[in-house]
Amino acid sequence: MEFVIICGPSGSGKTFIKEYLCNTYHHTYMSVPQLTTREKRNGEQDIAYLFVSKNSYKSVERFLIGKTRIYDNHYGSLMPSRKEYNQMKHVIILNKEGLNDFLSSINDNHTYTIIGITRDDLQREGRTEDYIEKEKEVLNMCDIVFDGKDGFVN
């Protein structure tokens, strides 16, 4: 099974890239469902996340990959299991903690590419500059980093 992992700070365009790949090249890429215990934001659709209670999350946690916790909310992705999906590239968005969990939970039958995305003009409600800099640490783990403003960094 092959994964494309997209990493980067809040507001860098990770979800946009994921949706673009999965919608434009739907015979090649598919989104990995991500569960979260956080509250749905105003106007947010059940597209990027499956919103679940903390009890529901705990009951399926052992089946999740890329697990992480942000503030008091849990996130994790369901490992694709249907054989017909093995030919597709599975796109997943992870932060540093989630990426470490993913790397420790997969086996040699899985391949992956880690793509980092960043921008200099990052701003997101509720995120301080220090928080965003901490989120950028995951870029050091990426195979390639794309700067949304200037192009490829490495």
Side-chain angles (χ1 to χ4, degrees), residues 5-10 12-14 94-97 99-100 114-120 122 132-148 151 153-154:
I5 301 165
I6 302 173
C7 302
S10 297
S12 60
K14 299 179 301 287
L94 297 174
N95 67 1
K96 185 177 179 181
E97 181 183 354
L99 180 57
N100 283 325
I114 307 169
I115 300 170
I117 301 174
T118 190
R119 290 186 3 210
D120 287 335
L122 292 169
I132 291 172
E133 286 304 312
K134 182 128 180 88
E135 284 186 318
K136 285 183 177 182
E137 290 175 6
V138 73
L139 299 174
N140 296 323
M141 300 171 69
C142 296
D143 297 315
I144 190 166
V145 176
F146 181 78
D147 183 316
V153 176
N154 68 354

PDB file of all heavy atoms in Angstrom, residues 5-10 12-14 94-97 99-100 114-120 122 132-148 151 153-154:
ATOM      1  N   ILE A   5       1.874  11.491   2.223  1.00  0.00           N
ATOM      2  CA  ILE A   5       1.618  12.184   3.476  1.00  0.00           C
ATOM      3  C   ILE A   5       1.909  13.666   3.266  1.00  0.00           C
ATOM      4  O   ILE A   5       2.971  14.033   2.771  1.00  0.00           O
ATOM      5  CB  ILE A   5       2.507  11.616   4.597  1.00  0.00           C
ATOM      6  CG1 ILE A   5       2.225  10.122   4.757  1.00  0.00           C
ATOM      7  CG2 ILE A   5       2.275  12.367   5.899  1.00  0.00           C
ATOM      8  CD1 ILE A   5       3.262   9.385   5.544  1.00  0.00           C
ATOM      9  N   ILE A   6       0.934  14.490   3.632  1.00  0.00           N
ATOM     10  CA  ILE A   6       1.079  15.936   3.476  1.00  0.00           C
ATOM     11  C   ILE A   6       1.196  16.541   4.867  1.00  0.00           C
ATOM     12  O   ILE A   6       0.356  16.307   5.740  1.00  0.00           O
ATOM     13  CB  ILE A   6      -0.120  16.539   2.718  1.00  0.00           C
ATOM     14  CG1 ILE A   6      -0.255  15.872   1.344  1.00  0.00           C
ATOM     15  CG2 ILE A   6       0.036  18.050   2.588  1.00  0.00           C
ATOM     16  CD1 ILE A   6      -1.506  16.269   0.584  1.00  0.00           C
ATOM     17  N   CYS A   7       2.265  17.308   5.083  1.00  0.00           N
ATOM     18  CA  CYS A   7       2.543  17.919   6.384  1.00  0.00           C
ATOM     19  C   CYS A   7       2.782  19.411   6.225  1.00  0.00           C
ATOM     20  O   CYS A   7       3.206  19.864   5.161  1.00  0.00           O
ATOM     21  CB  CYS A   7       3.793  17.295   7.000  1.00  0.00           C
ATOM     22  SG  CYS A   7       3.708  15.521   7.242  1.00  0.00           S
ATOM     23  N   GLY A   8       2.545  20.134   7.293  1.00  0.00           N
ATOM     24  CA  GLY A   8       2.822  21.561   7.288  1.00  0.00           C
ATOM     25  C   GLY A   8       2.002  22.273   8.339  1.00  0.00           C
ATOM     26  O   GLY A   8       1.101  21.697   8.940  1.00  0.00           O
ATOM     27  N   PRO A   9       2.297  23.528   8.566  1.00  0.00           N
ATOM     28  CA  PRO A   9       1.573  24.294   9.578  1.00  0.00           C
ATOM     29  C   PRO A   9       0.146  24.618   9.152  1.00  0.00           C
ATOM     30  O   PRO A   9      -0.212  24.516   7.971  1.00  0.00           O
ATOM     31  CB  PRO A   9       2.412  25.568   9.720  1.00  0.00           C
ATOM     32  CG  PRO A   9       3.199  25.660   8.474  1.00  0.00           C
ATOM     33  CD  PRO A   9       3.380  24.278   7.962  1.00  0.00           C
ATOM     34  N   SER A  10      -0.664  25.008  10.131  1.00  0.00           N
ATOM     35  CA  SER A  10      -2.051  25.405   9.881  1.00  0.00           C
ATOM     36  C   SER A  10      -2.119  26.500   8.834  1.00  0.00           C
ATOM     37  O   SER A  10      -1.328  27.441   8.872  1.00  0.00           O
ATOM     38  CB  SER A  10      -2.690  25.925  11.172  1.00  0.00           C
ATOM     39  OG  SER A  10      -2.739  24.926  12.141  1.00  0.00           O
ATOM     40  N   SER A  12      -1.468  26.328   5.619  1.00  0.00           N
ATOM     41  CA  SER A  12      -0.471  26.290   4.542  1.00  0.00           C
ATOM     42  C   SER A  12      -1.023  25.742   3.227  1.00  0.00           C
ATOM     43  O   SER A  12      -0.376  25.858   2.197  1.00  0.00           O
ATOM     44  CB  SER A  12       0.745  25.458   4.969  1.00  0.00           C
ATOM     45  OG  SER A  12       0.376  24.132   5.264  1.00  0.00           O
ATOM     46  N   GLY A  13      -2.206  25.140   3.248  1.00  0.00           N
ATOM     47  CA  GLY A  13      -2.803  24.622   2.023  1.00  0.00           C
ATOM     48  C   GLY A  13      -2.832  23.103   1.934  1.00  0.00           C
ATOM     49  O   GLY A  13      -3.044  22.545   0.863  1.00  0.00           O
ATOM     50  N   LYS A  14      -2.639  22.411   3.058  1.00  0.00           N
ATOM     51  CA  LYS A  14      -2.613  20.944   3.056  1.00  0.00           C
ATOM     52  C   LYS A  14      -3.923  20.356   2.555  1.00  0.00           C
ATOM     53  O   LYS A  14      -3.923  19.474   1.695  1.00  0.00           O
ATOM     54  CB  LYS A  14      -2.323  20.411   4.467  1.00  0.00           C
ATOM     55  CG  LYS A  14      -1.003  20.842   5.049  1.00  0.00           C
ATOM     56  CD  LYS A  14      -0.795  20.300   6.442  1.00  0.00           C
ATOM     57  CE  LYS A  14      -1.849  20.713   7.431  1.00  0.00           C
ATOM     58  NZ  LYS A  14      -1.790  22.104   7.865  1.00  0.00           N
ATOM     59  N   LEU A  94      -0.893  14.890   8.154  1.00  0.00           N
ATOM     60  CA  LEU A  94      -0.400  14.605   9.495  1.00  0.00           C
ATOM     61  C   LEU A  94       0.464  15.741  10.027  1.00  0.00           C
ATOM     62  O   LEU A  94       1.162  16.402   9.261  1.00  0.00           O
ATOM     63  CB  LEU A  94       0.456  13.328   9.489  1.00  0.00           C
ATOM     64  CG  LEU A  94      -0.247  12.030   9.093  1.00  0.00           C
ATOM     65  CD1 LEU A  94       0.759  10.897   9.007  1.00  0.00           C
ATOM     66  CD2 LEU A  94      -1.354  11.697  10.076  1.00  0.00           C
ATOM     67  N   ASN A  95       0.426  15.912  11.344  1.00  0.00           N
ATOM     68  CA  ASN A  95       1.379  16.807  11.989  1.00  0.00           C
ATOM     69  C   ASN A  95       2.566  15.962  12.452  1.00  0.00           C
ATOM     70  O   ASN A  95       2.639  14.767  12.161  1.00  0.00           O
ATOM     71  CB  ASN A  95       0.719  17.595  13.135  1.00  0.00           C
ATOM     72  CG  ASN A  95       0.314  16.713  14.306  1.00  0.00           C
ATOM     73  OD1 ASN A  95       0.523  15.500  14.324  1.00  0.00           O
ATOM     74  ND2 ASN A  95      -0.297  17.326  15.303  1.00  0.00           N
ATOM     75  N   LYS A  96       3.506  16.563  13.162  1.00  0.00           N
ATOM     76  CA  LYS A  96       4.731  15.853  13.549  1.00  0.00           C
ATOM     77  C   LYS A  96       4.429  14.628  14.421  1.00  0.00           C
ATOM     78  O   LYS A  96       4.967  13.540  14.186  1.00  0.00           O
ATOM     79  CB  LYS A  96       5.672  16.811  14.278  1.00  0.00           C
ATOM     80  CG  LYS A  96       7.018  16.200  14.618  1.00  0.00           C
ATOM     81  CD  LYS A  96       7.926  17.226  15.278  1.00  0.00           C
ATOM     82  CE  LYS A  96       9.259  16.619  15.650  1.00  0.00           C
ATOM     83  NZ  LYS A  96      10.114  17.610  16.311  1.00  0.00           N
ATOM     84  N   GLU A  97       3.579  14.789  15.408  1.00  0.00           N
ATOM     85  CA  GLU A  97       3.220  13.666  16.285  1.00  0.00           C
ATOM     86  C   GLU A  97       2.521  12.560  15.499  1.00  0.00           C
ATOM     87  O   GLU A  97       2.810  11.380  15.660  1.00  0.00           O
ATOM     88  CB  GLU A  97       2.333  14.160  17.423  1.00  0.00           C
ATOM     89  CG  GLU A  97       1.928  13.084  18.404  1.00  0.00           C
ATOM     90  CD  GLU A  97       0.984  13.606  19.484  1.00  0.00           C
ATOM     91  OE1 GLU A  97       0.712  14.823  19.552  1.00  0.00           O
ATOM     92  OE2 GLU A  97       0.517  12.768  20.266  1.00  0.00           O
ATOM     93  N   LEU A  99       2.797  11.994  12.281  1.00  0.00           N
ATOM     94  CA  LEU A  99       3.770  11.386  11.372  1.00  0.00           C
ATOM     95  C   LEU A  99       4.640  10.375  12.118  1.00  0.00           C
ATOM     96  O   LEU A  99       4.881   9.269  11.624  1.00  0.00           O
ATOM     97  CB  LEU A  99       4.636  12.460  10.715  1.00  0.00           C
ATOM     98  CG  LEU A  99       5.703  11.971   9.740  1.00  0.00           C
ATOM     99  CD1 LEU A  99       5.096  11.134   8.614  1.00  0.00           C
ATOM    100  CD2 LEU A  99       6.463  13.153   9.162  1.00  0.00           C
ATOM    101  N   ASN A 100       5.079  10.717  13.321  1.00  0.00           N
ATOM    102  CA  ASN A 100       5.864   9.769  14.119  1.00  0.00           C
ATOM    103  C   ASN A 100       5.054   8.513  14.425  1.00  0.00           C
ATOM    104  O   ASN A 100       5.577   7.391  14.355  1.00  0.00           O
ATOM    105  CB  ASN A 100       6.366  10.423  15.407  1.00  0.00           C
ATOM    106  CG  ASN A 100       7.543  11.330  15.156  1.00  0.00           C
ATOM    107  OD1 ASN A 100       8.383  11.066  14.305  1.00  0.00           O
ATOM    108  ND2 ASN A 100       7.618  12.421  15.908  1.00  0.00           N
ATOM    109  N   ILE A 114       6.648  11.781   1.827  1.00  0.00           N
ATOM    110  CA  ILE A 114       6.229  12.826   2.761  1.00  0.00           C
ATOM    111  C   ILE A 114       6.471  14.181   2.103  1.00  0.00           C
ATOM    112  O   ILE A 114       7.600  14.538   1.783  1.00  0.00           O
ATOM    113  CB  ILE A 114       6.996  12.738   4.088  1.00  0.00           C
ATOM    114  CG1 ILE A 114       6.882  11.326   4.677  1.00  0.00           C
ATOM    115  CG2 ILE A 114       6.477  13.780   5.072  1.00  0.00           C
ATOM    116  CD1 ILE A 114       7.813  11.073   5.844  1.00  0.00           C
ATOM    117  N   ILE A 115       5.396  14.911   1.880  1.00  0.00           N
ATOM    118  CA  ILE A 115       5.443  16.221   1.227  1.00  0.00           C
ATOM    119  C   ILE A 115       5.150  17.300   2.266  1.00  0.00           C
ATOM    120  O   ILE A 115       4.140  17.232   2.963  1.00  0.00           O
ATOM    121  CB  ILE A 115       4.413  16.307   0.090  1.00  0.00           C
ATOM    122  CG1 ILE A 115       4.691  15.230  -0.952  1.00  0.00           C
ATOM    123  CG2 ILE A 115       4.409  17.699  -0.535  1.00  0.00           C
ATOM    124  CD1 ILE A 115       3.595  15.090  -1.983  1.00  0.00           C
ATOM    125  N   GLY A 116       6.021  18.275   2.358  1.00  0.00           N
ATOM    126  CA  GLY A 116       5.808  19.401   3.256  1.00  0.00           C
ATOM    127  C   GLY A 116       5.325  20.612   2.481  1.00  0.00           C
ATOM    128  O   GLY A 116       5.731  20.840   1.345  1.00  0.00           O
ATOM    129  N   ILE A 117       4.442  21.357   3.107  1.00  0.00           N
ATOM    130  CA  ILE A 117       3.917  22.582   2.499  1.00  0.00           C
ATOM    131  C   ILE A 117       4.025  23.694   3.526  1.00  0.00           C
ATOM    132  O   ILE A 117       3.687  23.508   4.697  1.00  0.00           O
ATOM    133  CB  ILE A 117       2.444  22.412   2.071  1.00  0.00           C
ATOM    134  CG1 ILE A 117       2.316  21.279   1.068  1.00  0.00           C
ATOM    135  CG2 ILE A 117       1.906  23.706   1.491  1.00  0.00           C
ATOM    136  CD1 ILE A 117       0.904  20.942   0.705  1.00  0.00           C
ATOM    137  N   THR A 118       4.509  24.845   3.104  1.00  0.00           N
ATOM    138  CA  THR A 118       4.609  25.987   4.005  1.00  0.00           C
ATOM    139  C   THR A 118       4.375  27.272   3.220  1.00  0.00           C
ATOM    140  O   THR A 118       4.308  27.258   1.987  1.00  0.00           O
ATOM    141  CB  THR A 118       5.975  26.011   4.721  1.00  0.00           C
ATOM    142  OG1 THR A 118       5.926  27.000   5.747  1.00  0.00           O
ATOM    143  CG2 THR A 118       7.118  26.284   3.759  1.00  0.00           C
ATOM    144  N   ARG A 119       4.241  28.347   3.939  1.00  0.00           N
ATOM    145  CA  ARG A 119       4.139  29.685   3.354  1.00  0.00           C
ATOM    146  C   ARG A 119       4.665  30.662   4.379  1.00  0.00           C
ATOM    147  O   ARG A 119       4.612  30.411   5.576  1.00  0.00           O
ATOM    148  CB  ARG A 119       2.676  30.033   3.046  1.00  0.00           C
ATOM    149  CG  ARG A 119       2.101  29.253   1.931  1.00  0.00           C
ATOM    150  CD  ARG A 119       0.703  29.668   1.523  1.00  0.00           C
ATOM    151  NE  ARG A 119       0.154  30.803   2.211  1.00  0.00           N
ATOM    152  CZ  ARG A 119      -1.149  30.945   2.428  1.00  0.00           C
ATOM    153  NH1 ARG A 119      -2.002  30.042   2.033  1.00  0.00           N
ATOM    154  NH2 ARG A 119      -1.605  32.008   3.037  1.00  0.00           N
ATOM    155  N   ASP A 120       5.158  31.802   3.907  1.00  0.00           N
ATOM    156  CA  ASP A 120       5.657  32.826   4.832  1.00  0.00           C
ATOM    157  C   ASP A 120       4.526  33.620   5.475  1.00  0.00           C
ATOM    158  O   ASP A 120       4.675  34.138   6.565  1.00  0.00           O
ATOM    159  CB  ASP A 120       6.587  33.798   4.102  1.00  0.00           C
ATOM    160  CG  ASP A 120       7.920  33.163   3.773  1.00  0.00           C
ATOM    161  OD1 ASP A 120       8.319  32.208   4.472  1.00  0.00           O
ATOM    162  OD2 ASP A 120       8.569  33.615   2.816  1.00  0.00           O
ATOM    163  N   LEU A 122       1.622  32.865   6.840  1.00  0.00           N
ATOM    164  CA  LEU A 122       0.662  32.032   7.558  1.00  0.00           C
ATOM    165  C   LEU A 122      -0.032  32.807   8.666  1.00  0.00           C
ATOM    166  O   LEU A 122       0.608  33.428   9.498  1.00  0.00           O
ATOM    167  CB  LEU A 122       1.366  30.818   8.162  1.00  0.00           C
ATOM    168  CG  LEU A 122       1.879  29.810   7.159  1.00  0.00           C
ATOM    169  CD1 LEU A 122       2.790  28.815   7.860  1.00  0.00           C
ATOM    170  CD2 LEU A 122       0.721  29.088   6.505  1.00  0.00           C
ATOM    171  N   ILE A 132       2.781  28.305  15.251  1.00  0.00           N
ATOM    172  CA  ILE A 132       3.029  27.997  13.836  1.00  0.00           C
ATOM    173  C   ILE A 132       4.472  27.560  13.633  1.00  0.00           C
ATOM    174  O   ILE A 132       4.744  26.613  12.886  1.00  0.00           O
ATOM    175  CB  ILE A 132       2.651  29.198  12.944  1.00  0.00           C
ATOM    176  CG1 ILE A 132       1.127  29.380  12.954  1.00  0.00           C
ATOM    177  CG2 ILE A 132       3.153  28.999  11.518  1.00  0.00           C
ATOM    178  CD1 ILE A 132       0.633  30.633  12.282  1.00  0.00           C
ATOM    179  N   GLU A 133       5.426  28.204  14.296  1.00  0.00           N
ATOM    180  CA  GLU A 133       6.838  27.791  14.185  1.00  0.00           C
ATOM    181  C   GLU A 133       7.027  26.367  14.693  1.00  0.00           C
ATOM    182  O   GLU A 133       7.780  25.594  14.106  1.00  0.00           O
ATOM    183  CB  GLU A 133       7.751  28.766  14.936  1.00  0.00           C
ATOM    184  CG  GLU A 133       7.933  30.095  14.227  1.00  0.00           C
ATOM    185  CD  GLU A 133       8.462  29.945  12.802  1.00  0.00           C
ATOM    186  OE1 GLU A 133       9.441  29.215  12.586  1.00  0.00           O
ATOM    187  OE2 GLU A 133       7.873  30.583  11.904  1.00  0.00           O
ATOM    188  N   LYS A 134       6.333  26.015  15.766  1.00  0.00           N
ATOM    189  CA  LYS A 134       6.412  24.648  16.282  1.00  0.00           C
ATOM    190  C   LYS A 134       5.823  23.667  15.272  1.00  0.00           C
ATOM    191  O   LYS A 134       6.365  22.586  15.069  1.00  0.00           O
ATOM    192  CB  LYS A 134       5.679  24.546  17.623  1.00  0.00           C
ATOM    193  CG  LYS A 134       5.736  23.194  18.252  1.00  0.00           C
ATOM    194  CD  LYS A 134       6.213  23.307  19.680  1.00  0.00           C
ATOM    195  CE  LYS A 134       6.294  21.979  20.352  1.00  0.00           C
ATOM    196  NZ  LYS A 134       7.543  21.301  20.171  1.00  0.00           N
ATOM    197  N   GLU A 135       4.708  24.050  14.628  1.00  0.00           N
ATOM    198  CA  GLU A 135       4.107  23.195  13.599  1.00  0.00           C
ATOM    199  C   GLU A 135       5.060  22.976  12.418  1.00  0.00           C
ATOM    200  O   GLU A 135       5.031  21.937  11.784  1.00  0.00           O
ATOM    201  CB  GLU A 135       2.802  23.804  13.078  1.00  0.00           C
ATOM    202  CG  GLU A 135       1.628  23.659  14.000  1.00  0.00           C
ATOM    203  CD  GLU A 135       0.352  24.154  13.343  1.00  0.00           C
ATOM    204  OE1 GLU A 135       0.381  25.207  12.669  1.00  0.00           O
ATOM    205  OE2 GLU A 135      -0.672  23.476  13.496  1.00  0.00           O
ATOM    206  N   LYS A 136       5.896  23.972  12.127  1.00  0.00           N
ATOM    207  CA  LYS A 136       6.826  23.877  10.998  1.00  0.00           C
ATOM    208  C   LYS A 136       7.946  22.864  11.228  1.00  0.00           C
ATOM    209  O   LYS A 136       8.614  22.465  10.281  1.00  0.00           O
ATOM    210  CB  LYS A 136       7.447  25.251  10.698  1.00  0.00           C
ATOM    211  CG  LYS A 136       6.519  26.208   9.995  1.00  0.00           C
ATOM    212  CD  LYS A 136       7.246  27.512   9.688  1.00  0.00           C
ATOM    213  CE  LYS A 136       6.389  28.473   8.915  1.00  0.00           C
ATOM    214  NZ  LYS A 136       7.133  29.705   8.579  1.00  0.00           N
ATOM    215  N   GLU A 137       8.143  22.412  12.467  1.00  0.00           N
ATOM    216  CA  GLU A 137       9.197  21.435  12.756  1.00  0.00           C
ATOM    217  C   GLU A 137       9.040  20.163  11.929  1.00  0.00           C
ATOM    218  O   GLU A 137      10.021  19.509  11.604  1.00  0.00           O
ATOM    219  CB  GLU A 137       9.214  21.096  14.254  1.00  0.00           C
ATOM    220  CG  GLU A 137       9.693  22.232  15.122  1.00  0.00           C
ATOM    221  CD  GLU A 137       9.596  21.926  16.606  1.00  0.00           C
ATOM    222  OE1 GLU A 137       9.253  20.769  16.970  1.00  0.00           O
ATOM    223  OE2 GLU A 137       9.861  22.839  17.401  1.00  0.00           O
ATOM    224  N   VAL A 138       7.828  19.801  11.582  1.00  0.00           N
ATOM    225  CA  VAL A 138       7.586  18.580  10.804  1.00  0.00           C
ATOM    226  C   VAL A 138       8.222  18.670   9.424  1.00  0.00           C
ATOM    227  O   VAL A 138       8.535  17.646   8.809  1.00  0.00           O
ATOM    228  CB  VAL A 138       6.067  18.284  10.695  1.00  0.00           C
ATOM    229  CG1 VAL A 138       5.382  19.256   9.732  1.00  0.00           C
ATOM    230  CG2 VAL A 138       5.824  16.844  10.259  1.00  0.00           C
ATOM    231  N   LEU A 139       8.470  19.865   8.929  1.00  0.00           N
ATOM    232  CA  LEU A 139       9.052  20.028   7.596  1.00  0.00           C
ATOM    233  C   LEU A 139      10.443  19.404   7.500  1.00  0.00           C
ATOM    234  O   LEU A 139      10.867  19.000   6.416  1.00  0.00           O
ATOM    235  CB  LEU A 139       9.089  21.509   7.208  1.00  0.00           C
ATOM    236  CG  LEU A 139       7.716  22.203   7.142  1.00  0.00           C
ATOM    237  CD1 LEU A 139       7.892  23.698   6.890  1.00  0.00           C
ATOM    238  CD2 LEU A 139       6.820  21.565   6.105  1.00  0.00           C
ATOM    239  N   ASN A 140      11.135  19.290   8.641  1.00  0.00           N
ATOM    240  CA  ASN A 140      12.455  18.652   8.652  1.00  0.00           C
ATOM    241  C   ASN A 140      12.378  17.153   8.383  1.00  0.00           C
ATOM    242  O   ASN A 140      13.394  16.530   8.086  1.00  0.00           O
ATOM    243  CB  ASN A 140      13.145  18.898  10.002  1.00  0.00           C
ATOM    244  CG  ASN A 140      13.429  20.360  10.228  1.00  0.00           C
ATOM    245  OD1 ASN A 140      13.777  21.087   9.315  1.00  0.00           O
ATOM    246  ND2 ASN A 140      13.261  20.807  11.459  1.00  0.00           N
ATOM    247  N   MET A 141      11.197  16.568   8.483  1.00  0.00           N
ATOM    248  CA  MET A 141      11.013  15.132   8.277  1.00  0.00           C
ATOM    249  C   MET A 141      10.528  14.814   6.860  1.00  0.00           C
ATOM    250  O   MET A 141      10.352  13.648   6.517  1.00  0.00           O
ATOM    251  CB  MET A 141      10.009  14.595   9.301  1.00  0.00           C
ATOM    252  CG  MET A 141      10.434  14.800  10.743  1.00  0.00           C
ATOM    253  SD  MET A 141       9.125  14.407  11.928  1.00  0.00           S
ATOM    254  CE  MET A 141       9.038  12.629  11.731  1.00  0.00           C
ATOM    255  N   CYS A 142      10.317  15.826   6.045  1.00  0.00           N
ATOM    256  CA  CYS A 142       9.711  15.644   4.728  1.00  0.00           C
ATOM    257  C   CYS A 142      10.738  15.286   3.657  1.00  0.00           C
ATOM    258  O   CYS A 142      11.892  15.719   3.716  1.00  0.00           O
ATOM    259  CB  CYS A 142       8.968  16.913   4.313  1.00  0.00           C
ATOM    260  SG  CYS A 142       7.580  17.285   5.417  1.00  0.00           S
ATOM    261  N   ASP A 143      10.294  14.513   2.667  1.00  0.00           N
ATOM    262  CA  ASP A 143      11.140  14.178   1.524  1.00  0.00           C
ATOM    263  C   ASP A 143      11.344  15.389   0.629  1.00  0.00           C
ATOM    264  O   ASP A 143      12.392  15.567   0.022  1.00  0.00           O
ATOM    265  CB  ASP A 143      10.502  13.047   0.706  1.00  0.00           C
ATOM    266  CG  ASP A 143      10.388  11.774   1.508  1.00  0.00           C
ATOM    267  OD1 ASP A 143      11.363  11.410   2.187  1.00  0.00           O
ATOM    268  OD2 ASP A 143       9.307  11.145   1.460  1.00  0.00           O
ATOM    269  N   ILE A 144      10.306  16.208   0.530  1.00  0.00           N
ATOM    270  CA  ILE A 144      10.359  17.422  -0.286  1.00  0.00           C
ATOM    271  C   ILE A 144       9.458  18.454   0.377  1.00  0.00           C
ATOM    272  O   ILE A 144       8.445  18.108   0.971  1.00  0.00           O
ATOM    273  CB  ILE A 144       9.930  17.155  -1.750  1.00  0.00           C
ATOM    274  CG1 ILE A 144      10.225  18.353  -2.625  1.00  0.00           C
ATOM    275  CG2 ILE A 144       8.477  16.723  -1.836  1.00  0.00           C
ATOM    276  CD1 ILE A 144      10.157  18.057  -4.111  1.00  0.00           C
ATOM    277  N   VAL A 145       9.862  19.721   0.319  1.00  0.00           N
ATOM    278  CA  VAL A 145       9.070  20.804   0.902  1.00  0.00           C
ATOM    279  C   VAL A 145       8.721  21.793  -0.201  1.00  0.00           C
ATOM    280  O   VAL A 145       9.579  22.207  -0.957  1.00  0.00           O
ATOM    281  CB  VAL A 145       9.822  21.518   2.049  1.00  0.00           C
ATOM    282  CG1 VAL A 145       9.019  22.702   2.574  1.00  0.00           C
ATOM    283  CG2 VAL A 145      10.139  20.527   3.163  1.00  0.00           C
ATOM    284  N   PHE A 146       7.456  22.143  -0.266  1.00  0.00           N
ATOM    285  CA  PHE A 146       6.969  23.115  -1.247  1.00  0.00           C
ATOM    286  C   PHE A 146       6.533  24.359  -0.525  1.00  0.00           C
ATOM    287  O   PHE A 146       5.740  24.313   0.401  1.00  0.00           O
ATOM    288  CB  PHE A 146       5.798  22.510  -2.028  1.00  0.00           C
ATOM    289  CG  PHE A 146       5.252  23.433  -3.066  1.00  0.00           C
ATOM    290  CD1 PHE A 146       5.907  23.606  -4.289  1.00  0.00           C
ATOM    291  CD2 PHE A 146       4.089  24.147  -2.856  1.00  0.00           C
ATOM    292  CE1 PHE A 146       5.413  24.455  -5.247  1.00  0.00           C
ATOM    293  CE2 PHE A 146       3.593  25.012  -3.813  1.00  0.00           C
ATOM    294  CZ  PHE A 146       4.255  25.161  -5.000  1.00  0.00           C
ATOM    295  N   ASP A 147       7.072  25.493  -0.950  1.00  0.00           N
ATOM    296  CA  ASP A 147       6.669  26.783  -0.413  1.00  0.00           C
ATOM    297  C   ASP A 147       5.588  27.321  -1.330  1.00  0.00           C
ATOM    298  O   ASP A 147       5.828  27.538  -2.519  1.00  0.00           O
ATOM    299  CB  ASP A 147       7.876  27.724  -0.373  1.00  0.00           C
ATOM    300  CG  ASP A 147       7.537  29.065   0.257  1.00  0.00           C
ATOM    301  OD1 ASP A 147       6.472  29.634  -0.067  1.00  0.00           O
ATOM    302  OD2 ASP A 147       8.328  29.545   1.058  1.00  0.00           O
ATOM    303  N   GLY A 148       4.396  27.501  -0.796  1.00  0.00           N
ATOM    304  CA  GLY A 148       3.257  27.950  -1.591  1.00  0.00           C
ATOM    305  C   GLY A 148       3.466  29.257  -2.313  1.00  0.00           C
ATOM    306  O   GLY A 148       2.777  29.568  -3.272  1.00  0.00           O
ATOM    307  N   GLY A 151       7.758  28.181  -4.461  1.00  0.00           N
ATOM    308  CA  GLY A 151       8.046  26.915  -5.117  1.00  0.00           C
ATOM    309  C   GLY A 151       8.777  25.941  -4.209  1.00  0.00           C
ATOM    310  O   GLY A 151       8.680  26.029  -2.995  1.00  0.00           O
ATOM    311  N   VAL A 153      11.475  24.076  -1.971  1.00  0.00           N
ATOM    312  CA  VAL A 153      12.554  24.504  -1.086  1.00  0.00           C
ATOM    313  C   VAL A 153      13.676  23.488  -1.140  1.00  0.00           C
ATOM    314  O   VAL A 153      14.832  23.826  -1.211  1.00  0.00           O
ATOM    315  CB  VAL A 153      12.043  24.687   0.355  1.00  0.00           C
ATOM    316  CG1 VAL A 153      13.186  25.038   1.300  1.00  0.00           C
ATOM    317  CG2 VAL A 153      10.953  25.757   0.409  1.00  0.00           C
ATOM    318  N   ASN A 154      13.336  22.188  -1.073  1.00  0.00           N
ATOM    319  CA  ASN A 154      14.358  21.135  -1.144  1.00  0.00           C
ATOM    320  C   ASN A 154      13.818  19.897  -1.817  1.00  0.00           C
ATOM    321  O   ASN A 154      12.667  19.745  -2.017  1.00  0.00           O
ATOM    322  CB  ASN A 154      14.893  20.780   0.232  1.00  0.00           C
ATOM    323  CG  ASN A 154      13.873  20.090   1.109  1.00  0.00           C
ATOM    324  OD1 ASN A 154      12.706  19.952   0.755  1.00  0.00           O
ATOM    325  ND2 ASN A 154      14.305  19.691   2.282  1.00  0.00           N
TER     326      ASN A 154
END
